Amino acid sequence: MLDQPPLQLAPRVSRLRRSPTAAISQRVAELAAQGRSVTNLGEGELDFDTPQFIREAAHAAIESGQTKYTAVSGTPALKDAIVRKFADDNGLTYRTDEVIAGAGAKPLILNALMATVSEGDEVIIPAPYWVSYPDMVSLCGGTPVIVECARDTFLLSPDALEAAITERTCWLILNSPNNPSGALYSREALAALGEVLLRHPHVLVLCDDIYEHLVYGNGVFATLPEVVPALKDRCLVVNGVSKAYSMTGWRLGYAAGPRTLIAAMDTLQSQSTTNASSISQAAAVAALSETRSFLGDWMARLTERRAIVLDAISRTRGLSADPPGAAFYVYASCAGLIGCKTPDGRELANDLDVATYLLDEAGVGVVHGAAFGMSPYLRIAFAVETATLKRAMDAIQSACAKLV
Ligand SMILES: Cc1ncc(COP(=O)(O)O)c(C=O)c1O
């Protein structure tokens, strides 16, 4: 057989890590395939079914022939629904040429960065952060500037923001409610960040609001351009149906912002993914247009699960956590386990070691804090039903009790 010439990959690929959350899911699947009983608390995806009225809208779209290419940035019906959503939920007025729909929030964020970040530009990313932001910035030739949030609140302080801004700063990425910490910025916290941003007119702000509707108790969601209208012209608000409607697989996100930026994102999308699935777009019109009455039940179930996780953590040696204000993650400190030894004598030197030990010993997949830029923590996603969650948390507790 002739030797194959070595395949040369482009340098841009070597700048990227494989998504750590996908890596955990893969490892869990491998162990399950070997016959191990494993529970994945590493997945950023709700286990609830997509609400029926949305599924019906998708069926109707298929039956009525809405199965062809649409306008790249979305159907007129969807763009109208997005414009109405921003007006009704967030008090933000956009024209239809200031909004775009795409195949998930993720590609929209990448396109926004592709459209604006030049080699050497800096993007401020508060840590802990959603795993994809730094890699996307690197892919665009930019420099991720990681700024640690306060460890008691997981919020970015105005002083830390001020100190991070330079003349090369292109974006601040603000993700509230936050993945992985569940931290929710209050109107006051946003206003304080807004004051800093108003002093630096060259900085754009990407508000990733994808967990907007998953807020606990009396928490109130707000987005930066609503609180500080003077910043609206340099904010890109990104949202989608993945989390609030349990539609991760439908791949439908949307964004609103300055017309020039939206037009550039449209051009990039026209040469890559083109329009989001026409069927998912029709489903999203239904999702965004109806009342979210199903959310009451979902939040009650998530509140119960959150309590299960926090209660188990309070009984687990070496772990600690405060209740998250939103989303479906607990970002638990595992500082008390670092330096401990496993029953077979291995030292847990960092949060990856702890996560690996829990997968091997307890059969539970969680994601280590280093993946989100703040250690030593574990992100525990409570997106499985209560009996499974209780069993998994008990297994974590027993595994931690065995450490010496
Ligand atoms: C903070 C954050 N932004 C964006 C996304 C991507 O959402 P989508 O499924 O719409 O691409 C996720 C998904 O995990 C997320 O956690």
Side-chain angles (χ1 to χ4, degrees), residues 8 39 48-49 57 94 99 151 157 164 188 238 248 264 275 283 306 312 314 323 326 354 390 395 398 400 404:
Q8 290 293 325
T39 306
F48 303 146
D49 287 336
Y94 291 107
V99 301
R151 282 180 183 250
S157 76
E188 295 69 36
V238 178
T248 40
N275 60 277
R306 184 180 67 153
S314 71
V354 176
K390 276 188 189 145
S398 308
C400 290
V404 283

Side-chain angles (χ1 to χ4, degrees), residues 46-65:
L46 282 176
D47 54 320
F48 303 146
D49 287 336
T50 301
Q52 191 174 348
F53 72 94
I54 300 175
R55 304 199 308 265
E56 282 168 4
H59 284 290
I62 294 172
E63 295 310 325
S64 64

Side-chain angles (χ1 to χ4, degrees), residues 44 103-107 109 130 133 175 179 208 210-211 242-243 248 251-253 329:
K106 196 174 200 170
I109 295 170
W130 179 46
Y133 301 138
N175 171 217
N179 173 8
D208 181 345
I210 193 116
Y211 294 93
S242 281
K243 312 291 174 174
T248 40
R251 309 310 303 130
L252 199 291
Y329 310 106

Side-chain angles (χ1 to χ4, degrees), residues 15 18 40 44 80 103 132 136 141 152 171 190 204 217 220 237 243 252 261 274 285 300 312 316 338 351 379-380:
R15 294 185 202 152
R18 198 174 143 58
N40 190 2
D80 285 345
S132 292
M136 287 182 178
D152 52 347
W171 288 95
L190 291 172
L204 302 167
V220 179
V237 183
K243 312 291 174 174
L252 199 291
L261 174 58
T274 315
V285 172
T316 301
I338 304 302
D351 51 23
R379 189 193 73 174
I380 301 172

